[in-house]
Amino acid sequence: MESKNEESASLTHEKLASIEDEEILNKMLDSAADFEERRMIRAALRDLLKKKREKREKERGVRRQDLNKGGTGGAVSIGRASMNQQPSTNKSAGQPSSSTPMSRTAGRTGPAAVSTQKCFSAEPPNAKNVKQMLLDWCRAKTEPYEGVDIQNFSSSWKDGIAFCALVHRFFPDAFEYSTLNPYKPRDNFELAFSTAERLAGCPPLLDADDLVRMKEPDWKCVYTYIQEFYRCLVEKGLVKTKQRP
């Protein structure tokens, strides 16, 4: 007991602030059992994500100034779009924006792609407890991420940011979270689903086009997809079985 207290005391805000690797903080968060330690690690992870976002925005500002000095004849949009920009509804090209990273799932058809309007989850007798535990798990894993507030399996996921945050939590090197735009839900859905398929082996049970057409995602479909993503993480050893919802 005494050695555990000494270990907890040795974990300071200064030591956590010196860690600049998200994966290290994520592993520390998973292994920490003490409530105060988890609180400190979550705060450090939030600060790190914020620091990376501010650094990236500063670099974009410098690039804009350099481009304007070079006589580009106008402002150049780089990275995150304006928060006031609304999502484009032009689908004439049939392709997602060229700025969308890893948008491989656009227009996917086949048995793996399931329309959100035809999605049903086979719920066990204790489904209510399992559902709440899975929701709590999602909330805990995405807590450090800005722009994510998971309260349910429907409206909380409608802009795709929550999917991206959950995937980024386990694969922090797959993409830059700070560049995501909540007003580009299709890009966010495609990025999250394609990354989860490529790195976790999670089948793309949801379709980005179906999701953006709906006012709010069907909770049964989101619930089913998250269950499948969780199962794939367990199989890869990225989630301990004792954490199973």
Side-chain angles (χ1 to χ4, degrees):
M1 176 65 76
E2 188 173 332
S3 59
K4 184 178 179 180
N5 290 335
E6 292 176 357
E7 182 180 351
S8 177
S10 66
L11 187 64
T12 64
H13 291 288
E14 289 75 17
K15 287 184 179 181
L16 290 172
S18 67
I19 300 175
E20 298 185 354
D21 191 325
E22 294 173 42
E23 189 172 354
I24 293 177
L25 289 174
N26 285 334
K27 288 180 179 179
M28 291 175 65
L29 186 60
D30 285 336
S31 60
D34 182 75
F35 175 80
E36 183 62 22
E37 284 186 5
R38 293 180 63 85
R39 186 188 66 79
M40 292 171 61
I41 296 170
R42 282 196 295 267
L45 189 53
R46 280 195 296 270
D47 290 342
L48 178 59
L49 291 170
K50 182 179 179 181
K51 187 188 303 180
K52 285 189 173 184
R53 183 180 66 257
E54 290 175 348
K55 180 181 178 182
R56 194 173 186 88
E57 289 174 352
K58 183 177 180 180
E59 291 173 350
R60 284 201 297 268
V62 172
R63 286 198 296 268
R64 287 194 190 98
Q65 291 178 3
D66 292 341
L67 288 169
N68 288 334
K69 288 178 182 178
T72 57
V76 179
S77 175
I78 302 175
R80 182 191 292 269
S82 169
M83 294 298 286
N84 295 323
Q85 176 182 350
Q86 296 300 315
S88 171
T89 56
N90 181 10
K91 298 182 182 179
S92 58
Q95 296 292 336
S97 166
S98 59
S99 64
T100 307
M102 296 180 282
S103 54
R104 298 190 298 107
T105 58
R108 180 187 296 274
T109 57
V114 180
S115 170
T116 56
Q117 297 178 4
K118 301 177 181 179
C119 187
F120 301 95
S121 59
E123 298 185 357
N126 62 338
K128 189 170 292 187
N129 291 337
V130 173
K131 179 184 173 185
Q132 185 59 50
M133 291 173 68
L134 189 62
L135 188 67
D136 292 340
W137 177 78
C138 291
R139 187 181 295 122
K141 293 302 179 184
T142 59
E143 183 182 358
Y145 289 84
E146 183 180 359
V148 180
D149 182 21
I150 297 177
Q151 300 297 326
N152 53 52
F153 281 112
S154 183
S155 61
S156 296
W157 306 78
K158 65 181 179 181
D159 61 6
I161 295 294
F163 284 110
C164 288
L166 188 60
V167 173
H168 188 268
R169 175 68 172 76
F170 294 95
F171 305 103
D173 296 327
F175 55 87
E176 185 64 52
Y177 179 82
S178 64
T179 64
L180 301 180
N181 188 341
Y183 292 119
K184 289 187 176 182
R186 179 183 281 104
D187 291 359
N188 298 332
F189 289 134
E190 289 171 350
L191 174 61
F193 301 155
S194 62
T195 305
E197 180 183 15
R198 180 168 59 88
L199 299 179
C202 181
L205 301 178
L206 299 177
D207 183 80
D209 289 329
D210 282 343
L211 291 171
V212 297
R213 282 196 294 265
M214 305 175 76
K215 184 177 180 181
E216 292 183 355
D218 184 334
W219 75 265
K220 292 187 291 293
C221 297
V222 175
Y223 177 51
T224 300
Y225 180 83
I226 299 301
Q227 281 183 311
E228 185 64 19
F229 180 62
Y230 185 95
R231 184 189 64 79
C232 292
L233 293 176
V234 170
E235 288 183 351
K236 285 187 169 293
L238 297 176
V239 171
K240 299 177 182 179
T241 52
K242 69 178 182 179
Q243 292 179 273
R244 190 177 185 88

